[in-house]
Amino acid sequence: MKYDQARWTDDNEDRYEPLLSEKASQTVDIDDSPLPDDLTRDSLSLPDPAEPELARHYTRLSQMNYGVESGPFPLGSCTMKYNPSFTEDVAARADAAIHPDRPDSTTQGTLALCHRLQDYLGRIGGMDAVTLQPPAGAAGEFTGIQIAKAYHEHNDDERSEVIIPDSAHGTNFATAAMAGYDVVELPSGDDGRVDIEALEAAVGDETAALMLTNPNTLGLFERDIEHVADIVHDAGGLLYYDGANLNALLGRARPGDMGFDVMHYNVHKTFATPHGGGGPGAGPVGVREELAQFLPNPHVRERGGNFEHYEPDHSIGKVHGFYGNWPVLLKTFAYIARLGDEGLRDASAKAVLNANYLAEQIEYEVPFGPFHHEFVASAGEQDAADAAKRMLDYGVHPPTTKWPEIVDEALMTEPTEGETKRSLDQLAAAFNAVAGDSDAELADAPSRPTAKRIDQATAARNPRLSWQALDDT
């Protein structure tokens, strides 16, 4: 046998199914069945491992995966924080598992926690009201734009356009289109920020909103944000904040104070709940006072010392069942409560420090700055996707690649606040090793992981989505 953490195969055989050689099986005969012959078989092979083999099998499988508990996960604009295990313990408490159809009078503790979380998020974002109902960041984004649309329609001022910078997240464009708006793409200025002259030319009577991330996807803070807000508001539009990069501002600046009217929170980024692979998500939405009447139904409020659900006057309706994804919200509350004001400020400071330290250690060029929690390096003459695949051979997860397109062969990198100097130095060493590798080494990468390079073009054109072997015909 030959073994490393990335592969387990038999000698001289090019087989990459994880732990294939560990799998023992037994064939059993099948007794007569009353079912039709075409629905039955005469025998069946079943796995037959001993308990130690079974335990080792799944342990090895887990070691072949890479996650936030394995090492740095520097995907830019994803804020892949370590998920603290204490929040899992809190969410798993039996007394948190209540049936959502119970009367409000019997769920006062749950409603009180929801109300406190609404308050926490409102104060963090500078918003007057918050809904916890959307079940993911993208769902929160769609909810926020629907609220903006309801606001305009309520004021008999139906508008047809949403302005989005060319460096924005792809969900912004999709959200605006799904809500029925025409998308107006705004080019970035030479400094990577909003081009004020282009914005002034783009806004008008049809402008429903400008969707903006601050800091933007280059990690740059929009220094003219108050002027940007004035331009949009003077045209009768709303300013929407994409909360993807809120981690850079925690405890230091608030979107509401910058002039934003609506925002969504990515709790899987900013508040360390698991990302999509870890289960359901949550995407709370905050609004200023004038928009609170359009929040989804139900909302939680305090009245006479008790907490209750109610329907806002002009609610857009339900966007998810009951409270939203309650265990995720509970983890969010626990994280914020544990850190407190000082801890949140410390998190944003260390996120910015770590990004700037890492950028100074790598040999790739970083064309835009000064940046905050993330930066976008250029792979230069290398193909960014090849460079990312090669990083896997050095035992680290690569950054986001090929985006934003304003940087050629972009390597979008966000180390988050949880990384130590030692882990950042190891990550930088991997970057620099790849920067010095030959084109042939990059083209053959990755060589160590169990999953090898796939033919992405053929896979996209002819997807084969079955786990079973398929006949080529």
Side-chain angles (χ1 to χ4, degrees):
M1 307 294 290
K2 57 184 178 181
Y3 166 73
D4 64 25
Q5 188 162 311
R7 183 188 310 158
W8 184 299
T9 67
D10 290 326
D11 289 334
N12 303 318
E13 292 191 23
D14 190 23
R15 297 190 295 176
Y16 293 99
E17 182 182 356
L19 283 67
L20 185 64
S21 58
E22 284 191 358
K23 295 181 179 178
S25 63
Q26 178 181 359
T27 300
V28 296
D29 293 329
I30 306 299
D31 294 332
D32 290 339
S33 170
L35 295 173
D37 290 343
D38 60 347
L39 297 179
T40 63
R41 67 189 84 185
D42 295 328
S43 62
L44 178 65
S45 294
L46 298 171
D48 188 31
E51 183 173 332
E53 292 177 311
L54 188 65
R56 291 167 186 165
H57 172 79
Y58 285 106
T59 298
R60 295 299 187 200
L61 283 179
S62 72
Q63 291 170 340
M64 291 177 182
N65 290 323
Y66 190 97
V68 291
E69 293 180 345
S70 307
F73 220 115
L75 288 171
S77 224
C78 292
T79 317
M80 302 293 288
K81 292 190 181 189
Y82 171 73
N83 307 142
S85 58
F86 86 91
T87 64
E88 300 289 339
D89 295 336
V90 172
R93 289 177 60 92
D95 52 6
I98 63 167
H99 195 286
D101 266 336
R102 282 170 51 175
D104 290 352
S105 61
T106 68
T107 60
Q108 286 297 292
T110 300
L111 293 176
L113 192 148
C114 288
H115 190 266
R116 287 178 64 187
L117 181 56
Q118 290 172 183
D119 178 63
Y120 282 173
L121 294 175
R123 285 190 282 145
I124 288 169
M127 295 285 131
D128 296 314
V130 173
T131 176
L132 306 177
Q133 202 176 104
E141 187 176 300
F142 183 68
T143 299
I145 286 297
Q146 290 286 56
I147 290 171
K149 187 174 187 176
Y151 167 81
H152 288 302
E153 292 175 349
H154 180 73
N155 291 313
D156 296 322
D157 186 21
E158 295 188 25
R159 295 176 173 233
S160 62
E161 296 177 348
V162 170
I163 301 173
I164 305 173
D166 57 6
S167 63
H169 296 97
T171 52
N172 291 181
F173 300 93
T175 291
M178 287 178 62
Y181 286 110
D182 296 326
V183 175
V184 178
E185 185 171 320
L186 188 69
S188 298
D190 292 338
D191 64 351
R193 297 177 174 85
V194 169
D195 186 319
I196 296 298
E197 291 185 2
L199 177 62
E200 290 174 333
V203 299
D205 293 340
E206 293 300 315
T207 301
L210 167 65
M211 300 182 76
L212 202 61
T213 308
N214 195 23
N216 66 18
T217 53
L218 293 168
L220 309 177
F221 189 85
E222 296 288 352
R223 296 168 174 167
D224 296 323
I225 186 59
E226 291 178 315
H227 186 32
V228 168
D230 289 340
I231 293 172
V232 175
H233 290 154
D234 288 346
L238 299 175
L239 191 57
Y240 184 95
Y241 183 82
D242 179 338
N245 293 341
L246 183 62
N247 200 49
L249 305 182
L250 284 176
R252 299 176 180 277
R254 308 191 307 171
D257 298 335
M258 301 173 198
F260 286 93
D261 304 293
V262 191
M263 69 175 291
H264 77 270
Y265 303 78
N266 288 300
V267 300
H268 58 286
K269 298 183 179 185
T270 315
F271 305 113
T273 67
H275 278 62
V285 173
V287 298
R288 61 181 172 85
E289 186 175 359
E290 292 87 341
L291 302 177
Q293 60 185 316
F294 305 104
L295 289 176
N297 170 48
H299 194 234
V300 179
R301 67 184 175 189
E302 183 179 10
R303 173 171 287 185
N306 293 314
F307 299 93
E308 65 179 13
H309 285 116
Y310 76 101
E311 181 174 357
D313 292 340
H314 301 285
S315 173
I316 63 170
K318 297 184 74 67
V319 297
H320 193 59
F322 302 107
Y323 303 98
N325 281 328
W326 161 245
V328 181
L329 298 172
L330 191 52
K331 295 172 190 177
T332 303
F333 179 90
Y335 180 84
I336 296 173
R338 171 68 67 89
L339 264 65
D341 292 344
E342 183 176 345
L344 294 176
R345 283 177 56 85
D346 186 62
S348 60
K350 288 179 178 174
V352 173
L353 176 64
N354 282 357
N356 280 266
Y357 175 79
L358 179 60
E360 285 294 319
Q361 306 307 309
I362 69 173
E363 296 173 5
Y364 289 116
E365 178 192 6
V366 181
F368 290 97
F371 47 83
H372 286 66
H373 65 301
E374 66 184 355
F375 61 88
V376 183
S378 172
E381 297 300 316
Q382 295 178 336
D383 183 286
D386 287 344
K389 290 178 173 64
R390 181 61 172 159
M391 288 185 73
L392 298 173
D393 287 332
Y394 291 97
V396 300
H397 198 284
T400 302
T401 63
K402 302 282 191 175
W403 181 75
E405 295 179 353
I406 192 172
V407 175
D408 291 335
E409 299 300 335
L411 297 169
M412 188 183 191
T413 309
E414 181 182 4
T416 79
E417 70 274 12
E419 301 305 325
T420 63
K421 180 178 179 297
R422 179 174 178 272
S423 67
L424 293 173
D425 287 340
Q426 291 173 333
L427 188 56
F431 268 100
N432 294 337
V434 173
D437 282 337
S438 67
D439 291 342
E441 288 172 315
L442 267 62
D444 289 339
S447 60
R448 291 193 69 249
T450 302
K452 309 282 282 186
R453 180 182 291 238
I454 64 171
D455 182 345
Q456 292 172 278
T458 299
R461 293 169 183 160
N462 183 29
R464 307 180 70 171
L465 307 181
S466 174
W467 62 271
Q468 302 181 59
L470 298 178
D471 190 336
D472 288 336
T473 60

